[in-house]
């Protein structure tokens, strides 16, 4: 395949073999899902719901045990609300628009991936979906299903909704997974900035480099396949007894093509929106640290931030509740933040990124129902 493939959106072939259009692949997946769902429904009518009940009980037990294990840190973090008056007012007020900008960037990315869906529909569907994901164990899939349903109700084509949500999720996940890799060179070289202003500048530089690397990966096959080969060799060496992986480079290119097929020629804007989604959220954490008067090392703050985002994906508690607080507090202490300041900064950050979006989810659902409840429901075909 040729190197410059940014304009090769919706490519139909890889290594000379025909490849179905992304719309056909998604249509087929949806039809297969519908067939399987119908078969499951028929089977459930013929047998009791015992397996479903057992699965629910097991998940509730796992969630209860997980919350019990992280309860001390969670309670300590929540108990720091009494100290919010010690936060620097200017930095504390700056956290709200920064986190709001992170949400707007996510809406922008989803809108691009869904070929120009209405801002109102995207925003009022994403807010309830985010709230559902935050209160449900393993809520990522539940939140995505809710947003898909709301988008369909708003009149978005179901194939466009599925491909758009998939592309947006892949983009944001790929970016946050790449962040620790970008922080490692600075740690190895011992580059340490002493002030929070320098920390913000260092973080901004990292995100600029991230955007450049993302552009190269989206535009060229060679670097992406090289990354795939390195990751594949590393995985096969670490797991010698397992079945070796042989097609990771091609799979990475296929996933990249799915993203390009969804975002079309606006992939640069999509990449900017994806980076902005995490950059503003990271800036919210920096503002929380500034509000408590802390000046940590920027690379370790970035690693602490990445740890929090990855722990948020832990399916055992809603939205990684407890795991995020424990991981972020501990890594901030390692970054040089005093223990009390780390707890208070974690509380301020989670207040903006986790707790305040919950009432916003209710508002989003009410606004969505007010405009689209009277619509027929089925999406355009």
């Amino acid at each position: 395949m040729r190197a410059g493939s940014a304009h090769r959106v919706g490519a139909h072939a890889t290594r000379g073999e025909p490849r179905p259009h992304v719309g056909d692949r998604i249509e087929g997946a949806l039809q297969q899902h519908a067939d399987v769902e119908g078969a499951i429904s028929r089977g459930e009518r013929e047998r009791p719901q015992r397996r479903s009940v057992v699965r629910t009980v097991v998940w509730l037990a796992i969630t209860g045990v997980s919350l019990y294990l992280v309860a001390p840190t969670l309670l300590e973090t929540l108990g720091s609300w009494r100290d919010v008056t010690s936060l620097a007012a200017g930095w504390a007020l700056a956290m709200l628009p920064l986190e709001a900008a992170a949400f707007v960037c996510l809406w922008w990315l989803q809108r691009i991936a869904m070929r120009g869906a209405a801002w109102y529909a995207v925003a009022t569907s994403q807010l309830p979906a985010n709230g559902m994901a935050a209160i449900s164990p393993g809520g990522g899939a539940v939140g995505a299903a809710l947003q898909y349903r709301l988008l369909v109700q708003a009149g978005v084509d179901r194939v466009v909704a599925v491909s758009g949500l998939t592309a947006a999720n892949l983009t944001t996940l790929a970016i946050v997974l790449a962040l620790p890799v970008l922080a490692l060179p600075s740690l190895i070289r011992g580059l340490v900035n002493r002030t929070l202003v320098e920390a913000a500048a260092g973080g901004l530089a990292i995100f600029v480099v991230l955007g450049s690397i993302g552009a190269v990966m989206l535009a060229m096959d060679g670097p992406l396949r090289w990354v795939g080969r390195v990751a594949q060799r590393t995985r096969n060496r670490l797991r010698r007894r397992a079945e070796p992986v042989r097609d990771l480079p091609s799979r990475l290119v296929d996933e990249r093509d799915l993203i390009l097929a969804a975002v079309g020629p606006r992939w640069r804007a999509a990449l900017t929106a994806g980076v902005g989604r995490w950059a503003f959220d990271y800036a919210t954490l920096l503002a929380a640290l500034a509000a408590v008067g802390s000046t940590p090392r920027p690379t370790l703050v970035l690693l602490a931030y990445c740890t929090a985002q990855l722990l948020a994906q832990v399916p055992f508690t809603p939205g990684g509740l407890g795991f995020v607080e424990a991981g972020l507090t501990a890594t901030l202490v390692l970054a040089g933040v005093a223990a009390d300041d780390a707890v208070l900064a974690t509380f301020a950050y989670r207040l903006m990124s986790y707790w305040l979006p919950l009432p916003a989810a209710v508002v989003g659902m009410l606004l969505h129902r007010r405009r689209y409840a009277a619509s027929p429901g089925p999406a355009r075909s």
Side-chain angles (χ1 to χ4, degrees):
M1 298 176 67
R2 61 180 181 276
S5 59
H7 56 82
R8 182 206 43 187
V9 176
H12 290 253
T14 301
R15 294 186 178 276
E17 297 180 0
R19 179 163 56 186
H21 188 271
V22 63
D24 297 334
R25 295 167 64 182
I26 295 172
E27 284 278 15
L30 288 173
Q31 183 60 49
Q32 183 179 9
H33 173 72
D35 295 341
V36 172
E37 191 176 81
I40 292 175
S41 298
R42 290 191 297 271
E44 286 181 345
R45 287 195 297 267
E46 297 172 359
R47 66 177 184 270
Q49 303 287 336
R50 180 177 179 181
R51 180 176 299 178
S52 177
V53 172
V54 171
R55 183 168 58 248
T56 302
V57 171
V58 170
W59 270 111
L60 288 176
I62 293 175
T63 300
V65 172
S66 300
L67 287 174
Y68 174 78
L69 294 175
V70 299
T73 303
L74 178 60
L75 293 176
E76 181 184 9
T77 302
L78 295 178
S80 64
W81 68 269
R82 301 179 184 88
D83 300 323
V84 293
T85 55
S86 63
L87 296 174
W91 285 110
L93 292 175
M95 294 173 64
L96 185 59
L98 286 172
E99 192 62 32
F103 274 85
V104 172
C105 285
L106 179 57
W107 300 340
W108 182 24
L109 173 60
Q110 291 186 349
R111 185 173 181 269
I112 293 172
M114 285 182 273
R115 316 262 174 90
W119 278 98
Y120 192 92
V122 173
T124 58
S125 64
Q126 190 276 329
L127 285 174
N130 179 75
M132 180 63 70
I135 63 175
S136 304
V142 179
L146 175 60
Q147 186 172 8
Y148 167 77
R149 180 178 177 181
L150 295 177
L151 287 169
V152 167
Q153 187 180 42
V156 178
D157 182 276
R158 62 192 181 93
V159 175
V160 172
V162 169
S163 61
L165 290 176
T166 301
N169 290 336
L170 286 173
T171 302
T172 55
L173 181 61
I175 290 173
V176 77
L177 289 177
L179 290 178
V181 178
L182 296 177
L184 287 178
S186 296
L187 291 175
I188 295 173
R189 294 181 180 181
L191 300 178
V192 179
N193 296 321
R194 293 298 181 182
T195 67
L196 196 61
V197 174
E198 292 173 337
L204 178 61
I206 288 174
F207 280 106
V208 170
V209 173
L210 175 63
S212 302
I213 293 176
V216 171
M217 294 298 180
L218 287 175
M220 303 177 66
D221 289 349
L224 187 60
R225 289 186 179 277
W226 179 83
V227 171
R229 288 193 296 270
V230 171
Q232 181 173 280
R233 285 197 298 267
T234 303
R235 184 267 180 194
N236 290 339
R237 288 176 181 175
L238 292 176
R239 302 187 62 184
R240 297 181 183 276
R241 297 183 179 180
E243 183 70 21
V245 176
R246 297 185 177 89
D247 60 343
L248 183 57
S250 299
R251 285 162 54 189
L252 287 178
V253 172
D254 288 342
E255 295 294 339
R256 191 275 316 275
D257 288 346
L258 279 176
I259 296 175
L260 288 177
V263 302
R266 300 190 63 191
W267 64 270
R268 294 178 181 85
L271 180 61
T272 302
V275 172
R277 185 263 178 275
W278 296 117
F280 283 112
D281 195 54
Y282 174 62
T284 303
L285 178 58
L286 290 178
L289 291 168
V292 300
S294 181
T295 57
R297 301 184 341 187
T299 49
L300 289 181
V301 173
L302 182 60
L303 289 177
Y305 173 78
C306 297
T307 300
Q309 300 310 315
L310 296 178
L311 287 174
Q313 309 304 317
V314 174
F316 300 147
T317 61
L321 187 64
F323 288 96
V324 174
E325 285 77 6
L328 184 57
T329 301
T331 49
L332 285 178
V333 171
L334 292 176
V337 181
D340 292 341
D341 290 342
V343 172
L344 183 56
T346 298
F347 171 77
Y349 169 72
R350 288 291 277 173
L351 179 65
M352 293 295 171
S353 62
Y354 181 86
W355 294 105
L356 287 184
L358 293 181
V362 177
V363 174
M365 178 64 79
L366 293 176
L367 292 175
H368 190 279
R369 292 187 62 181
R370 182 177 180 180
R371 173 170 293 192
Y372 300 114
S375 62
R380 299 187 301 273
S381 176

